[in-house]
């Protein structure tokens, strides 16, 4: 939690004023029983109506001043808590944006979303309650006891017994329930994770008619969460009846003791009423304090989980050629991309995803990468922009190991279209400018032509100003893919990576796209990842992957003669096309 408090430093004034105004409110509250005692002992006893009215106005004044101070304290507490949460969310989001693919995979997307939303909100509530109640509740408890002693020592001794008894019950229940609340939060994480999976994969679930299975799976985790919440709820529910039993027993003792002393003339009726009121104030504040500690405990647990995200490394280490033991080539003479016996194993994986990949891609060449599902095609191209670290060998871009590039410098050279077409809410122009912030409309139009997207953009109302819904929900799959291709092309990169980014396009559009890409600047090296042989047919080199190993490299005709895996893929797709044409 201490590491997160740095985000409160801009709210020092609010963090001081909020508890001070709360203590001021508590001070006025402690005077109320004394005024009530005066009304009973003087006004009612002597039937002095003007005195009762004056004291009533004093009560109203105390209430109004207390309300004003309470609202002021709430304002400062809310300002500090909300401002703190806003700064924390900004910092956490920026940190997550800087995490590597490997670290994001290790932590989990659903976990990061929970940390950024639910956990931050819990910490915000903790900060708010601490500023409002952390000083107020102890101040009321001890203040009420001291005020009771000023009225009558003998009656106040009941407080000395009652307060420890109440504290044992309240804090005992709290200590039992705190570990259970941590389990509740962990169970909630699981439910949120399953919910996210189901929402993101709803089409797949419906396509395979797995609704019932997923409902049962969700119900299992949700029932577990419900059971533990009910269990901890039952324990917490003991607090009110037990504390009220203790307080009512104390009130009975106070009334009995007070009655005896009233009878002997040592106490007045008003003073007995004041002492009983102080007992009620103590009960309320102890319960508030217990709830505060439970909330703060939850906030501390959430804060630790947020800190764990902050402790996850961001970015990647930039090496020197000397550290890697390699030697850089002259950039003007070097090939665009070289894989030197590269291997890749994902974190916590049991086997390599790629093994001994070795090839050279010269400038201006088109490299096709083909293979079955799970053969490592996407893993291979993700090593070029250094989304993942090689575990063996090295990857060179323009003769320089990718691990020696500054991140921005490397990404400026590369345009990548990921496997999943992702668009953001905003205009078509804004989405394409993700690739190049200062792209002109002329450059955007050129990129749309290359991506074969101009035809459908012309049909949209407002053309470049057409508003794309979040995730591109108001566009078809092929339209989304073409816009993501335009986004990568607009920056005119040295290396263009199309990671199975034309799967939703028909063969004619795919062919026109590949033709337009070949006509780009002759020094652009293009990597086309696909499961279609038609997409890589005319590539200068085709790399065939099978279970993470490179089983063939060459042109189409060469591979048909020398690579059984490629021939099998080609024959199966050729047969499929002929059968569909016959139908």
């Amino acid at each position: 939690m201490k590491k997160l408090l740095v985000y409160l430093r801009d709210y020092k004034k609010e963090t001081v004023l909020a508890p001070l105004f709360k203590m001021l409110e508590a001070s006025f509250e402690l005077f109320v029983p004394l005024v009530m005692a005066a009304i009973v002992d003087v006004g009612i006893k002597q039937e002095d109506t003007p005195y009762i009215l004056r004291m009533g106005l004093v009560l109203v004044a105390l209430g109004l001043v207390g309300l004003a101070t309470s609202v002021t304290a709430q304002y400062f507490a809310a300002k500090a808590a909300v401002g703190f949460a806003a700064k924390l969310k900004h910092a956490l989001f920026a940190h997550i944006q800087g995490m590597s693919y490997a670290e994001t995979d290790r932590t989990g997307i659903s976990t990061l979303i929970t940390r950024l939303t639910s956990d931050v909100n819990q910490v915000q509530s903790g900060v708010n309650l601490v500023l409002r109640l952390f000083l107020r509740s102890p101040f009321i408890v001890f203040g009420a006891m001291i005020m009771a002693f000023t009225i009558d020592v003998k009656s106040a001794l009941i407080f000395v017994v009652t307060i420890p008894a109440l504290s044992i019950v309240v804090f005992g229940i709290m200590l039992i329930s705190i570990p259970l609340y941590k389990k509740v939060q962990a169970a909630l994480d699981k439910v949120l994770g399953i919910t996210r999976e189901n929402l993101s994969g709803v089409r797949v679930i419906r396509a395979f008619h797995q609704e019932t299975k997923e409902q049962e799976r969700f119900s299992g985790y949700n029932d577990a969460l419900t059971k533990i919440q009910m269990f901890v709820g039952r324990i917490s529910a003991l607090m009110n009846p037990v504390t009220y039993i203790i307080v009512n027993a104390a009130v009975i003792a106070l009334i009995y003791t007070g009655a005896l002393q009233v009878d002997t003339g040592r106490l007045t009726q008003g003073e007995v009423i004041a002492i009983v009121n102080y007992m009620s104030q103590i009960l309320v504040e102890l319960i508030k304090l217990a709830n505060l500690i439970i909330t703060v405990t939850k906030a501390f647990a959430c804060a630790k989980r947020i800190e764990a995200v902050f402790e996850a490394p961001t970015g990647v280490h930039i090496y020197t050629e000397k550290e890697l033991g390699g030697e850089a080539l002259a950039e003007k003479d070097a090939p665009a991309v070289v894989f030197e016996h590269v291997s890749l194993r994902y974190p916590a994986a049991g086997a390599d995803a790629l093994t001994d990949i070795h090839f050279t891609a010269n400038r201006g060449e088109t490299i096709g990468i083909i293979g079955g599902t799970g053969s490592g095609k996407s893993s291979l191209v993700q090593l070029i922009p250094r989304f993942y670290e090689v575990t063996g060998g090295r990857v060179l871009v323009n003769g320089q190991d990718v691990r020696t590039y500054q991140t921005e410098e490397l990404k400026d050279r590369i345009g990548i279209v990921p496997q999943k077409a992702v668009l953001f809410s905003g205009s078509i122009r804004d989405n394409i400018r993700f690739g190049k912030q200062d792209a002109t409309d002329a450059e955007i139009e050129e990129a749309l032509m290359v991506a074969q997207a101009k035809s459908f953009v012309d049909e949209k109302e407002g053309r470049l100003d057409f508003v794309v819904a979040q995730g591109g929900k108001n566009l078809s799959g092929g339209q989304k893919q073409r816009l993501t291709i335009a986004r990568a092309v607009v920056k005119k990169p040295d290396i263009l990576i199309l990671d199975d980014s034309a799967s939703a396009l028909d063969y004619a559009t795919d062919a026109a796209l590949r033709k337009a890409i070949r006509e780009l600047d002759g020094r652009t090296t293009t990597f086309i990842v696909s499961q279609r042989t038609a997409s890589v047919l005319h590539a200068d080199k085709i790399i065939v992957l099978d279970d993470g190993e490179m089983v063939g490299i060459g042109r189409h005709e060469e591979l048909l003669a020398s690579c059984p895996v490629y021939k099998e893929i080609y024959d199966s797709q050729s047969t499929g096309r002929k059968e569909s044409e016959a139908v």
Side-chain angles (χ1 to χ4, degrees):
M1 187 71 177
K2 290 180 181 178
K3 294 180 181 178
L4 304 187
L5 291 179
V6 66
Y7 301 106
L8 263 177
R9 62 186 174 191
D10 292 335
Y11 300 95
K12 292 177 183 177
K13 180 182 71 175
E14 287 79 4
T15 56
V16 172
L17 290 176
L20 284 180
F21 273 97
K22 268 295 177 183
M23 290 178 69
L24 188 59
E25 177 207 357
S27 300
F28 289 117
E29 195 172 317
L30 289 173
F31 286 114
V32 170
L34 296 180
V35 177
M36 288 297 299
I39 290 174
V40 172
D41 291 338
V42 179
I44 295 176
K45 185 176 181 180
Q46 299 177 6
E47 297 182 357
D48 187 348
T49 303
Y51 183 83
I52 294 173
L53 292 175
R54 287 198 303 274
M55 288 297 101
L57 290 175
V58 171
L59 282 177
V60 171
L62 286 173
L64 290 175
V65 174
L67 175 63
T69 55
S70 177
V71 170
T72 305
Q74 180 61 49
Y75 167 76
F76 286 123
K79 184 178 179 182
V82 173
F84 161 79
K87 288 181 178 295
L88 178 57
K89 283 182 180 178
H90 280 299
L92 186 58
F93 185 77
H95 183 86
I96 291 171
Q97 289 292 310
M99 290 169 65
S100 66
Y101 273 32
E103 194 59 39
T104 303
D105 293 344
R106 187 187 68 80
T107 308
I109 300 296
S110 60
T111 298
L112 293 175
I113 291 173
T114 303
R115 300 294 175 269
L116 193 57
T117 53
S118 174
D119 286 348
V120 172
N121 290 341
Q122 193 70 54
V123 173
Q124 175 184 330
S125 298
V127 170
N128 194 339
L129 284 177
V130 165
L131 293 178
R132 288 166 48 206
L133 300 177
F134 187 68
L135 292 179
R136 182 189 188 280
S137 292
F139 182 80
I140 287 280
V141 170
F142 292 106
M145 188 170 67
I146 291 168
M147 295 296 284
F149 270 101
T150 62
I151 295 172
D152 180 58
V153 174
K154 187 176 180 181
S155 299
L157 289 174
I158 297 172
F159 284 69
V160 177
V161 176
T162 305
I163 290 175
L166 284 171
S167 300
I168 290 170
V169 171
V170 170
F171 295 110
I173 290 174
M174 182 197 70
L175 290 172
I176 294 171
S177 59
I178 282 172
L180 294 175
Y181 277 119
K182 291 181 180 178
K183 290 183 179 179
V184 167
Q185 200 67 22
L188 179 62
D189 276 352
K190 291 181 181 177
V191 172
L192 290 173
I194 291 172
T195 304
R196 182 181 178 278
E197 282 182 2
N198 277 267
L199 290 175
S200 60
V202 63
R203 294 175 185 271
V204 177
I205 292 169
R206 289 178 180 174
F208 289 93
H209 194 55
Q210 295 295 310
E211 293 95 333
T212 303
K213 181 181 176 182
E214 287 303 314
Q215 285 172 6
E216 291 173 354
R217 181 166 165 250
F218 177 84
S219 295
Y221 281 100
N222 195 50
D223 288 346
L225 173 61
T226 303
K227 286 178 182 177
I228 191 169
Q229 279 185 319
M230 290 179 65
F231 181 64
V232 70
R234 289 191 188 102
I235 294 173
S236 298
L238 290 172
M239 186 180 294
N240 281 349
V242 175
T243 51
Y244 277 111
I245 288 171
I246 295 172
V247 167
N248 284 325
V251 168
I252 292 169
L254 282 172
I255 292 174
Y256 177 76
T257 306
L260 293 177
Q261 297 196 74
V262 168
D263 192 46
T264 59
R266 291 186 59 189
L267 280 180
T268 65
Q269 292 95 330
E271 288 173 333
V272 173
I273 291 173
I275 292 172
V276 171
N277 280 341
Y278 283 129
M279 178 63 72
S280 299
Q281 285 183 350
I282 288 172
L283 170 65
V284 171
E285 292 305 323
L286 279 175
I287 292 175
K288 281 184 181 179
L289 188 60
N291 290 329
L292 166 66
I293 293 173
I294 288 173
T295 302
V296 169
T297 303
K298 288 182 184 177
F300 269 104
C302 293
K304 286 181 180 177
R305 300 191 316 188
I306 294 170
E307 285 176 352
V309 176
F310 276 118
E311 288 168 3
T314 58
V316 288
H317 177 64
I318 308 301
Y319 294 85
T320 63
E321 289 287 352
K322 186 176 181 181
E323 283 181 291
L324 297 172
E327 187 175 335
L329 303 173
E331 187 170 323
K332 63 179 181 180
D333 301 325
V337 177
V338 177
F339 274 60
E340 292 185 350
H341 303 288
V342 169
S343 297
L344 169 66
R345 178 175 295 191
Y346 289 109
D352 286 349
L354 294 172
T355 305
D356 195 30
I357 306 298
H358 189 81
F359 69 88
T360 298
N362 296 310
R363 299 178 192 227
E365 284 188 334
T366 298
I367 310 296
I369 302 173
I370 195 168
T373 302
S375 59
K377 303 185 297 296
S378 295
S379 299
L380 188 150
V381 293
Q382 285 175 351
L383 294 176
I384 300 172
R386 202 187 174 191
F387 288 159
Y388 293 96
E389 291 280 16
V390 298
T391 50
R394 63 177 185 160
V395 178
L396 305 178
V397 170
N398 293 333
Q400 184 176 338
D401 195 312
V402 293
R403 291 170 291 183
T404 64
Y405 275 100
Q406 294 295 325
T407 303
E408 291 302 319
E409 183 187 359
L410 179 63
K411 290 179 179 176
D412 282 344
R413 296 172 180 266
I414 299 170
I416 185 166
V417 184
Q419 201 167 18
K420 182 180 179 182
V422 177
L423 295 173
F424 300 91
S425 54
S427 67
I428 290 176
R429 180 186 288 104
D430 292 338
N431 270 277
I432 293 178
R433 280 181 174 166
F434 259 73
K436 185 182 180 184
Q437 294 295 321
D438 58 349
T440 63
D441 282 359
E443 290 174 318
I444 292 173
E445 295 286 354
E446 183 183 351
L448 289 172
M449 290 187 68
V450 172
Q452 308 304 302
K454 191 174 186 303
S455 57
F456 82 80
V457 170
D458 288 341
E459 296 172 359
K460 299 295 182 184
E461 185 179 351
R463 296 191 74 256
L464 296 180
D465 294 318
F466 175 77
V467 177
V468 178
Q470 185 180 10
K473 292 177 182 176
N474 56 345
L475 298 173
S476 69
Q479 289 172 343
K480 286 193 287 186
Q481 284 190 338
R482 281 178 277 176
L483 285 182
T484 55
I485 292 169
R487 183 172 61 195
V489 168
V490 75
K491 69 189 292 186
K492 295 183 172 63
D494 295 337
I495 300 168
L496 178 63
I497 299 172
L498 307 178
D499 186 2
D500 204 12
S501 53
S503 56
L505 304 183
D506 58 68
Y507 282 98
T509 306
D510 187 14
L513 171 65
R514 284 184 279 109
K515 182 174 182 295
I517 288 173
R518 283 198 303 272
E519 292 172 356
L520 288 173
D521 181 2
R523 293 181 66 80
T524 299
T525 304
T526 306
F527 287 82
I528 300 176
V529 176
S530 181
Q531 295 188 25
R532 293 179 182 175
T533 52
S535 297
V536 299
L537 201 64
H538 302 290
D540 298 300
K541 290 174 186 169
I542 301 172
I543 297 170
V544 186
L545 296 178
D546 184 35
D547 196 22
E549 296 183 0
M550 193 169 74
V551 294
I553 183 169
R555 297 184 69 87
H556 170 67
E557 296 79 8
E558 297 170 355
L559 291 172
L560 282 178
S562 63
C563 182
V565 174
Y566 182 79
K567 189 175 188 306
E568 182 182 349
I569 296 171
Y570 178 76
D571 289 344
S572 65
Q573 293 179 7
S574 298
T575 302
R577 282 199 299 272
K578 289 174 183 176
E579 287 176 353
S580 64
E581 289 169 3
V583 172

